[in-house]
Amino acid sequence: MALFFDNITNKAPNSLISVRPSDATQTDMEFAHFMRLAESWLNDASETDRQIFRKCNGTEMEHIALKALKDVAPQTSFNADNIKLVSGLQFPDIQAAGHFGVEVKSTKSDSWTSTGSSIVESTRIPDVSRIYMLFAKLGGKTPEFRCRPYEQCLSNIAVTHAPRYLIDMNLADKGEKNIFEKMSVEYDTFRLLGEKEKINSVRKYYMRANQTKGKYEMPWWMGDTNTEVSSSIMIRFFTDLSLCEKSDITARMFILFPELFGSKQDKYKRAALWMCSRYSVICSNLRDTFSAGGKVDEIGGVVFKKKKPQVLKTLYQNRTLITELLSNPDEALMQDVEDHWGENKSLSLSMSKWLCLMQQTFNENEELKDVDLKKLFDCWNS
């Protein structure tokens, strides 16, 4: 695509050939000024010939952005010769004066939102310490351009084939927090984390946020990277699992979700989401797994005065594996306990702690409040 825009030729000394990271904060204002000039250049050019921009694809937009930056560089201390396009190979798309970068995003729609780059930033140029987002909104009456500090326009995280940032160039105008403010972490701190640490930080944020809001949601797209447990690439039905797999999952659900012994109608939701997120396993009727068969008055040699829910018998059938897991928890269980019980409680994971948490739920259920779970386990194991 040929471009015939007039260059802005007001000259200023090109003194900013390269900047050491330690000096970066001293030149942030100069970089902001540089990007404002580029934004104005692009918006003026768009007014001159809208059709050129409407026809742009992503690659062509990167070249136009590069031209804009080089053309306005003489008005700043940036040297046009030190501005280069590196898209497709590295992040961000354009590198300027060694330690500054510009990520170029465009959309054909009349919207200031889009899907951004991977949160991992595995191809990030090591020397780049400051990045601006240059966003091209090519839809609408006239194509428009905005430039913002990169972290200030990242609203959230979503998934295509990997966790990616969501871009919203109106975040500041709407007075809304960016994703790093929501996570209570500085972008410059987050970006320096390793891949596993980044994924786990985001994972924990969404787990906590959903728990705070009382939502039955879990981040299925990013399992715990600190453990060796991996989720199957195939989604399976619980009924199709081996007996060993069923037993292991059921025992873990008993440990993690005391509400399975509660009286609420939605008591199986968290367990069902966890099973799908952790193991890629779904169950069309999880209730039957725990409670099918009605009420019983004898379980494991213990006779009850009043009949008890079948779920108590299912607990009896899984008691040995539950005891083993609590006595010698693996990394996956420790992580799950941290996610669902809270960090402090996971540190004191034990049989007695679990029995205490379970008893609290028993005490709130009219059918189970007369059951002393510790004594029941002692009887079953005698």
Side-chain angles (χ1 to χ4, degrees):
M1 176 179 290
L3 298 174
F4 300 100
F5 304 123
D6 292 333
N7 289 355
I8 300 173
T9 56
N10 295 341
K11 298 293 182 179
N14 301 127
S15 58
L16 192 63
I17 298 174
S18 185
V19 181
R20 295 187 303 277
S22 59
D23 298 330
T25 55
Q26 300 174 22
T27 55
D28 281 349
M29 291 181 65
E30 182 66 25
F31 187 35
H33 173 62
F34 179 40
M35 295 309 300
R36 284 195 296 270
L37 290 175
E39 179 183 290
S40 296
W41 187 103
L42 288 162
N43 282 315
D44 289 345
S46 176
E47 288 285 353
T48 302
D49 193 339
R50 301 174 186 176
Q51 292 308 311
I52 282 184
F53 290 95
R54 290 193 193 284
K55 296 176 182 178
C56 278
N57 59 32
T59 300
E60 291 166 339
M61 192 64 250
E62 290 168 0
H63 284 277
I64 292 176
L66 179 67
K67 177 173 174 58
L69 292 167
K70 284 180 173 289
D71 280 2
V72 303
Q75 300 178 74
T76 72
S77 54
F78 283 83
N79 190 325
D81 293 336
N82 289 326
I83 303 171
K84 58 183 180 180
L85 182 66
V86 294
S87 65
L89 301 173
Q90 293 175 298
F91 168 84
D93 297 316
I94 296 172
Q95 184 179 13
H99 299 288
F100 298 88
V102 179
E103 180 70 357
V104 182
K105 291 294 178 183
S106 61
T107 176
K108 295 288 186 180
S109 66
D110 186 17
S111 170
W112 289 107
T113 61
S114 182
T115 302
S117 302
S118 167
I119 70 169
V120 175
E121 297 184 2
S122 58
T123 60
R124 182 177 178 126
I125 302 170
D127 288 343
V128 170
S129 58
R130 294 291 183 274
I131 300 176
Y132 257 67
M133 180 79 74
L134 191 161
F135 193 96
K137 180 175 74 68
L138 305 181
K141 183 179 179 180
T142 302
E144 295 181 64
F145 298 83
R146 287 184 185 174
C147 297
R148 300 282 188 275
Y150 185 68
E151 64 271 24
Q152 292 181 17
C153 50
L154 302 178
S155 63
N156 221 320
I157 295 171
V159 178
T160 52
H161 57 282
R164 306 177 80 85
Y165 292 119
L166 293 181
I167 301 167
D168 186 344
M169 299 301 289
N170 285 328
L171 270 185
D173 297 337
K174 293 185 291 187
E176 297 180 4
K177 293 182 177 181
N178 61 56
I179 184 61
F180 306 104
E181 292 170 326
K182 294 174 185 176
M183 292 173 61
S184 300
V185 63
E186 294 290 332
Y187 169 65
D188 281 337
T189 299
F190 181 81
R191 72 177 180 83
L192 294 175
L193 297 176
E195 180 177 349
K196 288 185 177 182
E197 292 174 291
K198 285 180 179 176
I199 295 294
N200 281 328
S201 294
V202 173
R203 178 176 178 274
K204 287 183 178 181
Y205 161 70
Y206 281 105
M207 291 290 292
R208 298 287 181 267
N210 289 334
Q211 288 170 3
T212 300
K213 296 175 183 176
K215 288 186 175 182
Y216 292 106
E217 297 177 0
M218 290 185 190
W220 63 268
W221 43 272
M222 47 183 181
D224 172 36
T225 57
N226 282 333
T227 72
E228 297 301 321
V229 176
S230 58
S231 180
S232 171
I233 194 171
M234 304 299 292
I235 295 177
R236 301 173 293 166
F237 283 106
F238 183 79
T239 52
D240 294 334
L241 302 181
S242 68
L243 182 60
C244 182
E245 287 178 303
K246 288 179 183 178
S247 297
D248 183 68
I249 290 175
T250 301
R252 290 170 188 268
M253 281 194 283
F254 273 131
I255 292 172
L256 296 170
F257 307 107
E259 68 263 31
L260 293 173
F261 290 91
S263 54
K264 294 182 178 180
Q265 293 298 313
D266 60 2
K267 62 185 178 182
Y268 297 106
K269 282 189 173 181
R270 285 208 308 155
L273 281 171
W274 167 82
M275 185 167 62
C276 182
S277 174
R278 172 61 87 179
Y279 295 103
S280 299
V281 171
I282 59 175
C283 185
S284 58
N285 193 345
L286 194 57
R287 178 182 177 278
D288 288 348
T289 300
F290 293 93
S291 302
K295 297 182 179 181
V296 293
D297 55 14
E298 184 273 330
I299 304 174
V302 177
V303 178
F304 300 95
K305 293 180 180 179
K306 295 180 181 179
K307 289 188 175 182
K308 300 303 175 187
Q310 185 71 217
V311 64
L312 197 58
K313 184 174 182 179
T314 308
L315 176 68
Y316 166 75
Q317 293 167 342
N318 290 274
R319 71 193 187 284
T320 302
L321 185 51
I322 290 172
T323 302
E324 291 175 357
L325 284 168
L326 288 168
S327 300
N328 188 26
D330 54 29
E331 290 184 16
L333 181 60
M334 290 296 291
Q335 182 63 60
D336 286 333
V337 167
E338 180 179 322
D339 288 341
H340 298 285
W341 288 13
E343 292 187 28
N344 293 334
K345 292 180 180 177
S346 70
L347 297 176
S348 58
L349 176 62
S350 64
M351 186 70 182
S352 60
K353 183 67 176 179
W354 175 75
L355 287 170
C356 182
L357 289 173
M358 291 289 285
Q359 190 65 54
Q360 293 175 21
T361 304
F362 273 47
N363 294 342
E364 295 170 359
N365 188 329
E366 286 295 325
E367 295 183 304
L368 296 170
K369 66 181 183 180
D370 61 338
V371 175
D372 185 319
L373 189 57
K374 183 180 184 305
K375 290 182 178 179
L376 187 59
F377 257 76
D378 289 340
C379 289
W380 285 342
N381 293 329
S382 61

